Amino acid sequence: MTKPPIACVVWDDAHGNQSMFTDADVEHRPYRFSSVGFLVRSDEIGISLAREVGEDGAFRDHEFIPRIMVIDEWVIGPLKKPRARRQSPVPAVQT
């Protein structure tokens, strides 16, 4: 099974506060997040990422980000196994 590519999304999120506050305490701007995950879908509606993908291709722990909130996105690429490192010869110890 081919795994979906890994993607990174920078996006502005709405936030709130349930405690008491004054107008001077209000952070009147979106909170910027960076999210990384398996790319489920990216289209004009938004971006869906998943934290996990199973052996059958099913996704788990889904995050949807509306397109209007997206600042930037990068598709990092598919997962690849690292190349095996060549063993460097062990230098002879001189006595």
Side-chain angles (χ1 to χ4, degrees):
M1 178 194 74
T2 302
K3 299 252 190 291
I6 301 293
C8 177
V9 180
V10 177
W11 58 288
D12 284 342
D13 193 15
H15 58 89
N17 187 338
Q18 294 182 356
S19 62
M20 295 185 65
F21 59 90
T22 68
D23 61 343
D25 298 328
V26 173
E27 193 169 342
H28 192 70
R29 65 177 188 80
Y31 192 84
R32 189 153 292 176
F33 277 95
S34 295
S35 298
V36 177
F38 290 101
L39 182 61
V40 178
R41 183 181 304 164
S42 178
D43 58 21
E44 68 281 349
I45 298 169
I47 300 172
S48 286
L49 299 175
R51 301 288 170 251
E52 301 176 6
V53 60
E55 63 185 20
D56 60 354
F59 294 105
R60 192 161 59 177
D61 196 9
H62 169 254
E63 177 177 20
F64 172 74
I65 304 164
R67 176 59 63 186
I68 198 163
M69 299 170 91
V70 173
I71 303 302
D72 211 347
E73 76 178 286
W74 300 274
V75 174
I76 298 168
L79 290 178
K80 295 179 184 176
K81 288 188 177 189
R83 290 184 286 158
R85 291 185 170 194
R86 286 189 283 157
Q87 294 290 338
S88 58
V90 177
V93 178
Q94 295 182 352
T95 56

